[in-house]
Amino acid sequence: MPSMPNLAPFQSEDGEELFRLELVSSMIPAPSTPVFKTDDGPGFPEISIDALEEGGYRFRVRPLPGTPLAAELRTNGDFTHGSLLFLGEDHSFALNNALMLLFAFASARHGVLEMHSSVVMNGGKGYLFLGRSGTGKSTHSSLWLKHIPGTELLNDDNPILRLMPDGTARVYGSPWSGKTPCYKNKDVSAAAVVRIRQAPFNKIERLPAIQAYASLMASASSFRPFKELADSWHRTLESLVTFLPCYVLDCLPDQAAAELCYKTVHG
């Protein structure tokens, strides 16, 4: 087992088991049918998914498109059990991706979304900043940390957004935080979601429900070919946009942008 300090804050004996992952030393070849392959472009891992004829699924993970396989993950049909075979030398990369995939799929039925987002906490509430890679999510978080008193970073890449049974929403830290080592086992009430767009000016506006839905969906880890899971993700999104304020912030990477955003969403 590779040393993975990012998992340490989340080790607990409490709670209901969501899924179980075991490491194996070999796998028997199994007939399968291709289902999906990610296409996030250069610089991003590649994940291919096949449906196994015997039932369940096979995931193959590469660090980058065209590179050798890092691992093969096989799961049962409801993603509550997985077997992982290391194929490359970077076992931490392989294990992290296997855990992320299993978590995203196994939690879908529980009102959970694994988001591509940077999240800050302020005043006991969480604020999610969305956007494509390179648009300034982390930069905007850092501006809050610098200029908005009482701000703390919760996660800088893959926080967990959950629709709670009582109809509220909470955002959680996770073991996956991208290039920023921020692994906090904390959670707060989700107060607002803001999509960041680069612009030569600062302007913020609240999105109507349909646009808010599209904004959230674009940054949620979801795989449309899995109809049952996709239906669960969509139901969660539909509920969230009825009460969780969603904004779009066209902005410069400056103090004024952070102050405008804070004044709008915090109020």
mmCIF file of all heavy atoms in Angstrom, residues 117-120 129-130 132-148 151 153 156 180 196 198 249 251-255 257-258:
data_model
loop_
_atom_site.group_PDB
_atom_site.id
_atom_site.type_symbol
_atom_site.label_atom_id
_atom_site.label_comp_id
_atom_site.label_asym_id
_atom_site.label_seq_id
_atom_site.Cartn_x
_atom_site.Cartn_y
_atom_site.Cartn_z
ATOM 1 N N SER A 117 -13.932 22.158 -8.300
ATOM 2 C CA SER A 117 -14.182 23.470 -7.726
ATOM 3 C C SER A 117 -13.129 23.805 -6.678
ATOM 4 O O SER A 117 -12.473 22.923 -6.127
ATOM 5 C CB SER A 117 -15.580 23.481 -7.075
ATOM 6 O OG SER A 117 -15.800 24.621 -6.293
ATOM 7 N N SER A 118 -12.981 25.104 -6.421
ATOM 8 C CA SER A 118 -12.208 25.572 -5.284
ATOM 9 C C SER A 118 -13.208 26.140 -4.284
ATOM 10 O O SER A 118 -14.134 26.859 -4.665
ATOM 11 C CB SER A 118 -11.210 26.656 -5.711
ATOM 12 O OG SER A 118 -10.411 27.068 -4.615
ATOM 13 N N VAL A 119 -13.042 25.809 -3.003
ATOM 14 C CA VAL A 119 -14.031 26.190 -1.992
ATOM 15 C C VAL A 119 -13.358 26.884 -0.823
ATOM 16 O O VAL A 119 -12.349 26.406 -0.291
ATOM 17 C CB VAL A 119 -14.796 24.955 -1.463
ATOM 18 C CG1 VAL A 119 -15.842 25.383 -0.439
ATOM 19 C CG2 VAL A 119 -15.456 24.213 -2.593
ATOM 20 N N VAL A 120 -13.966 28.005 -0.404
ATOM 21 C CA VAL A 120 -13.512 28.675 0.811
ATOM 22 C C VAL A 120 -14.638 28.670 1.833
ATOM 23 O O VAL A 120 -15.820 28.551 1.489
ATOM 24 C CB VAL A 120 -13.066 30.124 0.536
ATOM 25 C CG1 VAL A 120 -11.865 30.149 -0.401
ATOM 26 C CG2 VAL A 120 -14.216 30.958 -0.029
ATOM 27 N N PHE A 129 -16.258 28.003 -5.989
ATOM 28 C CA PHE A 129 -15.874 28.715 -7.200
ATOM 29 C C PHE A 129 -15.640 27.696 -8.312
ATOM 30 O O PHE A 129 -14.773 26.822 -8.203
ATOM 31 C CB PHE A 129 -14.621 29.551 -6.954
ATOM 32 C CG PHE A 129 -14.772 30.526 -5.814
ATOM 33 C CD1 PHE A 129 -13.788 30.633 -4.841
ATOM 34 C CD2 PHE A 129 -15.905 31.317 -5.698
ATOM 35 C CE1 PHE A 129 -13.932 31.523 -3.780
ATOM 36 C CE2 PHE A 129 -16.063 32.209 -4.645
ATOM 37 C CZ PHE A 129 -15.073 32.312 -3.681
ATOM 38 N N LEU A 130 -16.422 27.819 -9.383
ATOM 39 C CA LEU A 130 -16.361 26.898 -10.505
ATOM 40 C C LEU A 130 -15.669 27.553 -11.690
ATOM 41 O O LEU A 130 -15.538 28.769 -11.755
ATOM 42 C CB LEU A 130 -17.768 26.462 -10.932
ATOM 43 C CG LEU A 130 -18.763 26.043 -9.853
ATOM 44 C CD1 LEU A 130 -20.074 25.613 -10.509
ATOM 45 C CD2 LEU A 130 -18.201 24.918 -9.012
ATOM 46 N N ARG A 132 -13.537 26.393 -15.793
ATOM 47 C CA ARG A 132 -12.610 25.500 -16.471
ATOM 48 C C ARG A 132 -11.208 25.698 -15.919
ATOM 49 O O ARG A 132 -10.884 26.743 -15.348
ATOM 50 C CB ARG A 132 -12.627 25.773 -17.972
ATOM 51 C CG ARG A 132 -13.946 25.426 -18.650
ATOM 52 C CD ARG A 132 -13.859 25.622 -20.152
ATOM 53 N NE ARG A 132 -15.098 25.235 -20.818
ATOM 54 C CZ ARG A 132 -15.268 25.274 -22.140
ATOM 55 N NH1 ARG A 132 -14.280 25.693 -22.923
ATOM 56 N NH2 ARG A 132 -16.425 24.908 -22.662
ATOM 57 N N SER A 133 -10.369 24.690 -16.117
ATOM 58 C CA SER A 133 -8.986 24.784 -15.643
ATOM 59 C C SER A 133 -8.314 26.004 -16.262
ATOM 60 O O SER A 133 -8.397 26.235 -17.465
ATOM 61 C CB SER A 133 -8.215 23.516 -16.016
ATOM 62 O OG SER A 133 -8.760 22.401 -15.345
ATOM 63 N N GLY A 134 -7.667 26.787 -15.402
ATOM 64 C CA GLY A 134 -6.951 27.960 -15.887
ATOM 65 C C GLY A 134 -7.753 29.245 -15.892
ATOM 66 O O GLY A 134 -7.222 30.300 -16.256
ATOM 67 N N THR A 135 -9.035 29.186 -15.466
ATOM 68 C CA THR A 135 -9.864 30.392 -15.499
ATOM 69 C C THR A 135 -9.760 31.225 -14.223
ATOM 70 O O THR A 135 -10.268 32.344 -14.187
ATOM 71 C CB THR A 135 -11.346 30.053 -15.752
ATOM 72 O OG1 THR A 135 -11.793 29.145 -14.743
ATOM 73 C CG2 THR A 135 -11.526 29.424 -17.116
ATOM 74 N N GLY A 136 -9.150 30.687 -13.186
ATOM 75 C CA GLY A 136 -8.917 31.511 -12.011
ATOM 76 C C GLY A 136 -9.647 31.116 -10.739
ATOM 77 O O GLY A 136 -9.797 31.940 -9.830
ATOM 78 N N LYS A 137 -10.094 29.858 -10.638
ATOM 79 C CA LYS A 137 -10.781 29.420 -9.414
ATOM 80 C C LYS A 137 -9.862 29.548 -8.198
ATOM 81 O O LYS A 137 -10.236 30.146 -7.181
ATOM 82 C CB LYS A 137 -11.239 27.965 -9.560
ATOM 83 C CG LYS A 137 -12.201 27.696 -10.693
ATOM 84 C CD LYS A 137 -12.671 26.253 -10.702
ATOM 85 C CE LYS A 137 -11.551 25.256 -10.921
ATOM 86 N NZ LYS A 137 -10.876 25.416 -12.237
ATOM 87 N N SER A 138 -8.685 28.972 -8.307
ATOM 88 C CA SER A 138 -7.742 29.014 -7.185
ATOM 89 C C SER A 138 -7.269 30.437 -6.916
ATOM 90 O O SER A 138 -7.081 30.824 -5.754
ATOM 91 C CB SER A 138 -6.537 28.112 -7.473
ATOM 92 O OG SER A 138 -6.936 26.757 -7.574
ATOM 93 N N THR A 139 -7.093 31.208 -7.972
ATOM 94 C CA THR A 139 -6.682 32.603 -7.800
ATOM 95 C C THR A 139 -7.737 33.383 -7.024
ATOM 96 O O THR A 139 -7.414 34.168 -6.129
ATOM 97 C CB THR A 139 -6.451 33.261 -9.168
ATOM 98 O OG1 THR A 139 -5.387 32.586 -9.839
ATOM 99 C CG2 THR A 139 -6.107 34.733 -9.017
ATOM 100 N N HIS A 140 -9.006 33.150 -7.361
ATOM 101 C CA HIS A 140 -10.067 33.871 -6.658
ATOM 102 C C HIS A 140 -10.133 33.436 -5.194
ATOM 103 O O HIS A 140 -10.343 34.276 -4.313
ATOM 104 C CB HIS A 140 -11.410 33.651 -7.346
ATOM 105 C CG HIS A 140 -12.461 34.624 -6.905
ATOM 106 N ND1 HIS A 140 -12.466 35.950 -7.294
ATOM 107 C CD2 HIS A 140 -13.520 34.484 -6.069
ATOM 108 C CE1 HIS A 140 -13.480 36.579 -6.731
ATOM 109 N NE2 HIS A 140 -14.133 35.713 -5.981
ATOM 110 N N SER A 141 -9.953 32.151 -4.933
ATOM 111 C CA SER A 141 -9.896 31.696 -3.535
ATOM 112 C C SER A 141 -8.765 32.395 -2.790
ATOM 113 O O SER A 141 -8.931 32.833 -1.642
ATOM 114 C CB SER A 141 -9.701 30.180 -3.473
ATOM 115 O OG SER A 141 -10.883 29.491 -3.790
ATOM 116 N N SER A 142 -7.600 32.502 -3.441
ATOM 117 C CA SER A 142 -6.457 33.135 -2.776
ATOM 118 C C SER A 142 -6.724 34.613 -2.511
ATOM 119 O O SER A 142 -6.235 35.169 -1.517
ATOM 120 C CB SER A 142 -5.190 32.966 -3.624
ATOM 121 O OG SER A 142 -5.273 33.704 -4.840
ATOM 122 N N LEU A 143 -7.502 35.259 -3.373
ATOM 123 C CA LEU A 143 -7.862 36.661 -3.150
ATOM 124 C C LEU A 143 -8.780 36.799 -1.931
ATOM 125 O O LEU A 143 -8.667 37.754 -1.162
ATOM 126 C CB LEU A 143 -8.534 37.237 -4.392
ATOM 127 C CG LEU A 143 -7.607 37.450 -5.594
ATOM 128 C CD1 LEU A 143 -8.424 37.764 -6.843
ATOM 129 C CD2 LEU A 143 -6.610 38.573 -5.314
ATOM 130 N N TRP A 144 -9.708 35.859 -1.763
ATOM 131 C CA TRP A 144 -10.539 35.852 -0.550
ATOM 132 C C TRP A 144 -9.660 35.651 0.681
ATOM 133 O O TRP A 144 -9.836 36.325 1.699
ATOM 134 C CB TRP A 144 -11.586 34.742 -0.636
ATOM 135 C CG TRP A 144 -12.842 35.103 -1.351
ATOM 136 C CD1 TRP A 144 -12.955 35.618 -2.615
ATOM 137 C CD2 TRP A 144 -14.181 34.974 -0.849
ATOM 138 N NE1 TRP A 144 -14.281 35.795 -2.938
ATOM 139 C CE2 TRP A 144 -15.058 35.415 -1.875
ATOM 140 C CE3 TRP A 144 -14.727 34.516 0.338
ATOM 141 C CZ2 TRP A 144 -16.451 35.415 -1.724
ATOM 142 C CZ3 TRP A 144 -16.117 34.508 0.497
ATOM 143 C CH2 TRP A 144 -16.956 34.962 -0.527
ATOM 144 N N LEU A 145 -8.723 34.715 0.612
ATOM 145 C CA LEU A 145 -7.856 34.445 1.752
ATOM 146 C C LEU A 145 -7.052 35.686 2.139
ATOM 147 O O LEU A 145 -6.799 35.929 3.331
ATOM 148 C CB LEU A 145 -6.902 33.295 1.420
ATOM 149 C CG LEU A 145 -7.540 31.907 1.237
ATOM 150 C CD1 LEU A 145 -6.526 30.938 0.665
ATOM 151 C CD2 LEU A 145 -8.104 31.389 2.545
ATOM 152 N N LYS A 146 -6.668 36.468 1.153
ATOM 153 C CA LYS A 146 -5.827 37.636 1.394
ATOM 154 C C LYS A 146 -6.631 38.857 1.830
ATOM 155 O O LYS A 146 -6.188 39.618 2.701
ATOM 156 C CB LYS A 146 -5.035 37.965 0.127
ATOM 157 C CG LYS A 146 -4.064 39.116 0.279
ATOM 158 C CD LYS A 146 -3.253 39.324 -0.987
ATOM 159 C CE LYS A 146 -2.253 40.478 -0.821
ATOM 160 N NZ LYS A 146 -1.455 40.684 -2.062
ATOM 161 N N HIS A 147 -7.824 39.029 1.252
ATOM 162 C CA HIS A 147 -8.524 40.301 1.425
ATOM 163 C C HIS A 147 -9.838 40.212 2.213
ATOM 164 O O HIS A 147 -10.367 41.244 2.616
ATOM 165 C CB HIS A 147 -8.809 40.925 0.058
ATOM 166 C CG HIS A 147 -7.586 41.215 -0.742
ATOM 167 N ND1 HIS A 147 -6.641 42.141 -0.362
ATOM 168 C CD2 HIS A 147 -7.134 40.670 -1.924
ATOM 169 C CE1 HIS A 147 -5.676 42.182 -1.263
ATOM 170 N NE2 HIS A 147 -5.939 41.310 -2.204
ATOM 171 N N ILE A 148 -10.390 39.003 2.404
ATOM 172 C CA ILE A 148 -11.654 38.858 3.120
ATOM 173 C C ILE A 148 -11.368 38.223 4.479
ATOM 174 O O ILE A 148 -11.075 37.025 4.560
ATOM 175 C CB ILE A 148 -12.666 37.999 2.327
ATOM 176 C CG1 ILE A 148 -12.805 38.515 0.888
ATOM 177 C CG2 ILE A 148 -14.006 37.988 3.048
ATOM 178 C CD1 ILE A 148 -13.286 39.946 0.768
ATOM 179 N N THR A 151 -11.510 34.138 6.222
ATOM 180 C CA THR A 151 -11.644 33.139 5.158
ATOM 181 C C THR A 151 -10.629 32.016 5.342
ATOM 182 O O THR A 151 -9.471 32.253 5.700
ATOM 183 C CB THR A 151 -11.454 33.786 3.782
ATOM 184 O OG1 THR A 151 -12.445 34.789 3.585
ATOM 185 C CG2 THR A 151 -11.566 32.751 2.673
ATOM 186 N N LEU A 153 -9.416 28.176 3.375
ATOM 187 C CA LEU A 153 -9.567 27.270 2.239
ATOM 188 C C LEU A 153 -10.026 25.901 2.730
ATOM 189 O O LEU A 153 -9.450 25.339 3.656
ATOM 190 C CB LEU A 153 -8.237 27.134 1.498
ATOM 191 C CG LEU A 153 -8.262 26.323 0.199
ATOM 192 C CD1 LEU A 153 -9.082 27.037 -0.874
ATOM 193 C CD2 LEU A 153 -6.834 26.086 -0.319
ATOM 194 N N ASP A 156 -9.250 22.735 -2.835
ATOM 195 C CA ASP A 156 -8.892 23.528 -4.012
ATOM 196 C C ASP A 156 -9.110 22.808 -5.336
ATOM 197 O O ASP A 156 -8.669 23.308 -6.377
ATOM 198 C CB ASP A 156 -7.429 23.973 -3.907
ATOM 199 C CG ASP A 156 -7.133 25.220 -4.726
ATOM 200 O OD1 ASP A 156 -8.014 26.088 -4.821
ATOM 201 O OD2 ASP A 156 -6.016 25.323 -5.280
ATOM 202 N N THR A 180 -2.867 21.767 -4.703
ATOM 203 C CA THR A 180 -2.808 22.405 -3.384
ATOM 204 C C THR A 180 -3.050 21.354 -2.304
ATOM 205 O O THR A 180 -4.117 20.759 -2.255
ATOM 206 C CB THR A 180 -3.881 23.498 -3.258
ATOM 207 O OG1 THR A 180 -3.715 24.447 -4.309
ATOM 208 C CG2 THR A 180 -3.771 24.204 -1.920
ATOM 209 N N ILE A 196 -16.488 31.384 -12.268
ATOM 210 C CA ILE A 196 -15.500 32.421 -12.534
ATOM 211 C C ILE A 196 -15.201 32.479 -14.037
ATOM 212 O O ILE A 196 -14.936 31.458 -14.667
ATOM 213 C CB ILE A 196 -14.191 32.144 -11.764
ATOM 214 C CG1 ILE A 196 -14.463 31.971 -10.264
ATOM 215 C CG2 ILE A 196 -13.183 33.250 -12.014
ATOM 216 C CD1 ILE A 196 -14.984 33.194 -9.574
ATOM 217 N N GLN A 198 -12.837 34.982 -16.793
ATOM 218 C CA GLN A 198 -11.887 36.075 -16.941
ATOM 219 C C GLN A 198 -12.503 37.187 -17.785
ATOM 220 O O GLN A 198 -13.181 36.927 -18.776
ATOM 221 C CB GLN A 198 -10.600 35.577 -17.593
ATOM 222 C CG GLN A 198 -9.839 34.576 -16.740
ATOM 223 C CD GLN A 198 -8.603 34.041 -17.436
ATOM 224 O OE1 GLN A 198 -8.414 34.220 -18.636
ATOM 225 N NE2 GLN A 198 -7.754 33.376 -16.680
ATOM 226 N N LEU A 249 -19.378 35.288 -12.196
ATOM 227 C CA LEU A 249 -18.536 36.439 -11.902
ATOM 228 C C LEU A 249 -17.556 36.634 -13.054
ATOM 229 O O LEU A 249 -16.656 35.821 -13.261
ATOM 230 C CB LEU A 249 -17.771 36.227 -10.596
ATOM 231 C CG LEU A 249 -16.722 37.284 -10.241
ATOM 232 C CD1 LEU A 249 -17.388 38.640 -9.960
ATOM 233 C CD2 LEU A 249 -15.886 36.851 -9.038
ATOM 234 N N CYS A 251 -14.501 38.740 -14.131
ATOM 235 C CA CYS A 251 -13.628 39.472 -13.219
ATOM 236 C C CYS A 251 -12.179 39.539 -13.659
ATOM 237 O O CYS A 251 -11.693 38.761 -14.484
ATOM 238 C CB CYS A 251 -13.698 38.852 -11.827
ATOM 239 S SG CYS A 251 -13.080 37.152 -11.752
ATOM 240 N N LEU A 252 -11.506 40.481 -13.042
ATOM 241 C CA LEU A 252 -10.055 40.601 -13.051
ATOM 242 C C LEU A 252 -9.521 39.846 -11.826
ATOM 243 O O LEU A 252 -10.253 39.652 -10.853
ATOM 244 C CB LEU A 252 -9.645 42.070 -12.957
ATOM 245 C CG LEU A 252 -10.005 42.956 -14.150
ATOM 246 C CD1 LEU A 252 -10.009 44.421 -13.740
ATOM 247 C CD2 LEU A 252 -9.028 42.719 -15.290
ATOM 248 N N PRO A 253 -8.270 39.463 -11.840
ATOM 249 C CA PRO A 253 -7.697 38.792 -10.655
ATOM 250 C C PRO A 253 -7.222 39.820 -9.635
ATOM 251 O O PRO A 253 -6.021 39.936 -9.355
ATOM 252 C CB PRO A 253 -6.538 37.981 -11.255
ATOM 253 C CG PRO A 253 -6.087 38.808 -12.420
ATOM 254 C CD PRO A 253 -7.328 39.451 -12.978
ATOM 255 N N ASP A 254 -8.172 40.562 -9.054
ATOM 256 C CA ASP A 254 -7.770 41.624 -8.147
ATOM 257 C C ASP A 254 -8.644 41.664 -6.891
ATOM 258 O O ASP A 254 -9.646 40.959 -6.783
ATOM 259 C CB ASP A 254 -7.780 42.978 -8.866
ATOM 260 C CG ASP A 254 -9.149 43.382 -9.405
ATOM 261 O OD1 ASP A 254 -10.158 42.742 -9.034
ATOM 262 O OD2 ASP A 254 -9.209 44.333 -10.199
ATOM 263 N N GLN A 255 -8.236 42.517 -5.960
ATOM 264 C CA GLN A 255 -8.927 42.648 -4.683
ATOM 265 C C GLN A 255 -10.379 43.074 -4.867
ATOM 266 O O GLN A 255 -11.276 42.586 -4.168
ATOM 267 C CB GLN A 255 -8.195 43.663 -3.800
ATOM 268 C CG GLN A 255 -8.857 43.915 -2.453
ATOM 269 C CD GLN A 255 -8.069 44.899 -1.594
ATOM 270 O OE1 GLN A 255 -6.917 45.205 -1.886
ATOM 271 N NE2 GLN A 255 -8.682 45.393 -0.525
ATOM 272 N N ALA A 257 -12.434 42.376 -7.202
ATOM 273 C CA ALA A 257 -13.276 41.244 -7.615
ATOM 274 C C ALA A 257 -13.679 40.408 -6.405
ATOM 275 O O ALA A 257 -14.834 39.989 -6.282
ATOM 276 C CB ALA A 257 -12.536 40.386 -8.634
ATOM 277 N N ALA A 258 -12.721 40.161 -5.517
ATOM 278 C CA ALA A 258 -13.025 39.380 -4.317
ATOM 279 C C ALA A 258 -14.019 40.119 -3.430
ATOM 280 O O ALA A 258 -14.958 39.509 -2.896
ATOM 281 C CB ALA A 258 -11.736 39.094 -3.552
#
